[in-house]
Amino acid sequence: MNGSDDREVNRLPIDGTELWKGCILASCVHGVMLTEFPFTLKEHTWSGGLYVTENGEGKAALIFSEEKGLLLGMFWMYFSERTELVLTDQYARSHYKGAPAEIQEMAETLAELFEDGEGDKKLPYVTTGFWQENGQILSRDAYEDWLAHGGYLLQHQMEPFEEAMPYYEDVCSMDEPRMEIAERLYRERIQSPGQQVVLTKEEQAVLQEAEPRNMEVCQEVFEAFGVVFA
């Protein structure tokens, strides 16, 4: 993509805290359904403040601060026309040109998650990105381009609970008990971000009905974002 360094910096209409809440909701639903759908294990993962979502369309990684503020986001939309152009570290960095130095350093490290290939031929496939500065989410792409080249992967994480939950109920075939568990975990998690939420033994029994052998990995997924088993 010629002239990528010349793109203007645009403000995206994204609320970082609300996006964090959406990622927590997606993760609660994922954890609740994981015993039934273990093949979705890598669709939502946490490591400290790093959230990664990946599916057949692409990969997105977000870094949140301890205060749940959004620091930066990196995206690889597999079918983006830019994928064929993302051939250098310089291109990956171009999405963060103009960002504070610490953001650029963070992005350079995060780009390792987007490398594909073997040996010296590994390339960082980054098709768009954003960062937070002075309370605003900024990108070298306009909002429509950001969506087209990766932001679409966060479509449901950006929706309010009232819109996202019916979608999850339908696409995951959630029954009422698991919907109630996911909602309770979500509401308690966002109400007290710095505290752990406990999944009761009764709730564990509900999840265990699908496949008891998957409970260990289910526990690991939950604990990664602050939900522990009683």
Side-chain angles (χ1 to χ4, degrees):
M1 179 177 171
N2 295 330
S4 60
D5 283 356
D6 297 327
R7 288 177 290 163
E8 296 181 357
V9 174
N10 300 274
R11 180 179 180 275
L12 302 184
I14 297 173
D15 183 306
T17 301
E18 292 303 311
L19 180 55
W20 174 78
K21 292 179 181 178
C23 294
I24 291 294
L25 176 58
S27 300
C28 288
V29 171
H30 178 235
V32 164
M33 301 303 297
L34 192 57
T35 52
E36 184 171 349
F37 303 120
F39 54 86
T40 67
L41 177 61
K42 295 184 178 180
E43 286 191 5
H44 302 275
T45 60
W46 288 86
S47 178
L50 172 63
Y51 166 76
V52 179
T53 180
E54 184 173 6
N55 56 36
E57 296 180 296
K59 176 192 293 188
L62 307 175
I63 297 180
F64 295 96
S65 69
E66 292 183 0
E67 296 75 30
K68 311 311 172 192
L70 182 61
L71 297 178
L72 72 102
M74 186 172 288
F75 305 83
W76 176 12
M77 198 73 164
Y78 298 152
F79 302 109
S80 165
E81 62 186 20
R82 294 178 177 176
T83 296
E84 297 180 0
L85 305 171
V86 187
L87 301 176
T88 65
D89 293 332
Q90 181 180 0
Y91 183 86
R93 290 194 299 268
S94 74
H95 297 294
Y96 304 92
K97 183 181 179 183
E102 59 269 25
I103 293 293
Q104 295 191 42
E105 292 174 5
M106 213 178 297
E108 189 167 349
T109 300
L110 189 59
E112 294 178 5
L113 292 179
F114 292 77
E115 290 181 347
D116 195 37
E118 298 180 359
D120 295 336
K121 295 182 179 180
K122 283 189 176 181
L123 303 171
Y125 284 84
V126 180
T127 51
T128 190
F130 62 46
W131 70 92
Q132 178 172 273
E133 187 175 352
N134 298 324
Q136 297 183 336
I137 307 301
L138 306 176
S139 175
R140 301 302 300 274
D141 281 315
Y143 185 66
E144 293 75 12
D145 289 332
W146 171 75
L147 281 175
H149 297 292
Y152 176 77
L153 296 168
L154 299 178
Q155 176 186 5
H156 300 293
Q157 287 90 328
M158 292 190 293
E159 293 175 343
F161 175 87
E162 294 74 17
E163 295 180 20
M165 200 60 188
Y167 165 78
Y168 294 133
E169 177 185 8
D170 179 54
V171 76
C172 298
S173 300
M174 299 181 72
D175 56 23
E176 186 172 347
R178 284 187 285 188
M179 281 190 63
E180 291 177 353
I181 294 171
E183 180 173 353
R184 183 189 73 79
L185 295 176
Y186 162 73
R187 295 200 181 280
E188 291 192 16
R189 188 71 184 81
I190 66 172
Q191 184 175 359
S192 303
Q195 299 180 10
Q196 293 180 328
V197 178
V198 177
L199 187 74
T200 69
K201 291 188 179 298
E202 292 76 16
E203 291 170 331
Q204 292 175 45
V206 172
L207 305 190
Q208 211 166 11
E209 290 176 2
E211 178 48 76
R213 291 175 297 180
N214 293 333
M215 286 299 288
E216 184 175 347
V217 68
C218 178
Q219 182 175 359
E220 293 175 0
V221 166
F222 270 125
E223 288 181 347
F225 66 98
V227 177
V228 298
F229 281 28

